[in-house]
Amino acid sequence: MLWRIVILSILGIVAGLLIAVLQLRQDVSALEIENGPWNTAQGMGSADGSRFTRALVALRGIMALPDSEAIYYNASVDSDGNMLDGACTYEVRGGKIEARWWTLTLYNVEGYLIASEGDRYSYGSNNIAQEKQGDWQITVGPSADSDIATDPAASFQLTMRAYHPSQAFLENRAVTELPGIYRVECPK
């Protein structure tokens, strides 16, 4: 009888851990703060973050910095709420981001970089001429002339990092205007 209790307890613990890991790996859209297609959380790189946020950071291994150093936004949908699809072409359009610099990086749904021709998986404010730092637009898609290249056979997520954000940005991360993600073309 005791051995049955031990075996069932072990099975219960293993099943619970598996479900927790699968839930955290499933999607970053469950982060607490929504801003258009983007999601983020308070305290991403500190002990002040929620248990969910700390678990997500640990599981995905993003080595998050504290909020004063970087704010991380993740998007798995476009501005119309459709899942991001590697076969489709998107325009990401934005204005000045109140931070020292920013990057936009493409990951697969498990949180890993997607290999692409010429390693075109990231784009940032350093790629934009200083005089065009106000309004900007980049292309994300499977074509050879896209700024960020996708895998046409896979869904993806975008992560925007705003490094050394202004105090106003830190205090208003839910309402600060962030780039829009617009589907331009989709063969499906």
Side-chain angles (χ1 to χ4, degrees):
M1 178 72 170
L2 181 60
W3 62 273
R4 284 184 180 171
I5 293 172
V6 170
I7 289 174
L8 289 175
S9 296
I10 291 171
L11 287 174
I13 291 169
V14 169
L17 288 173
L18 276 173
I19 290 169
V21 167
L22 289 173
Q23 181 66 35
L24 287 171
R25 284 199 184 273
Q26 181 181 11
D27 198 355
V28 294
S29 65
L31 292 172
E32 298 116 14
I33 300 171
E34 288 186 36
N35 186 330
W38 302 98
N39 296 290
T40 191
Q42 300 274 87
M44 185 73 83
S46 74
D48 297 334
S50 70
R51 281 183 262 157
F52 175 81
T53 301
R54 292 192 319 265
L56 184 63
V57 168
L59 185 64
R60 292 182 71 124
I62 59 175
M63 303 296 282
L65 295 168
D67 289 347
S68 62
E69 296 292 323
I71 298 178
Y72 303 85
Y73 286 93
N74 296 288
S76 56
V77 298
D78 63 20
S79 292
D80 292 324
N82 301 309
M83 294 297 293
L84 296 174
D85 183 338
C88 302
T89 300
Y90 299 87
E91 285 181 355
V92 181
R93 297 189 300 257
K96 182 164 177 48
I97 295 173
E98 294 295 326
R100 184 169 291 163
W101 79 94
W102 56 266
T103 61
L104 191 63
T105 307
L106 181 116
Y107 294 97
N108 65 20
V109 293
E110 288 83 31
Y112 297 103
L113 291 173
I114 296 176
S116 65
E117 181 182 327
D119 293 328
R120 292 176 298 123
Y121 48 79
S122 187
Y123 200 87
S125 56
N126 60 320
N127 298 103
I128 299 173
Q130 189 65 33
E131 65 274 5
K132 296 185 179 179
Q133 289 289 320
D135 292 333
W136 54 270
Q137 172 181 311
I138 63 171
T139 305
V140 177
S143 76
D145 61 345
S146 294
D147 296 304
I148 298 178
T150 62
D151 175 353
S155 296
F156 65 92
Q157 297 175 351
L158 290 171
T159 296
M160 185 182 82
R161 294 172 181 87
Y163 295 99
H164 293 183
S166 69
Q167 191 62 36
F169 196 159
L170 279 170
E171 293 169 0
N172 298 299
R173 68 184 76 199
V175 295
T176 297
E177 188 171 340
L178 295 177
I181 305 169
Y182 305 98
R183 185 181 289 191
V184 175
E185 161 182 19
C186 198
K188 295 181 181 180

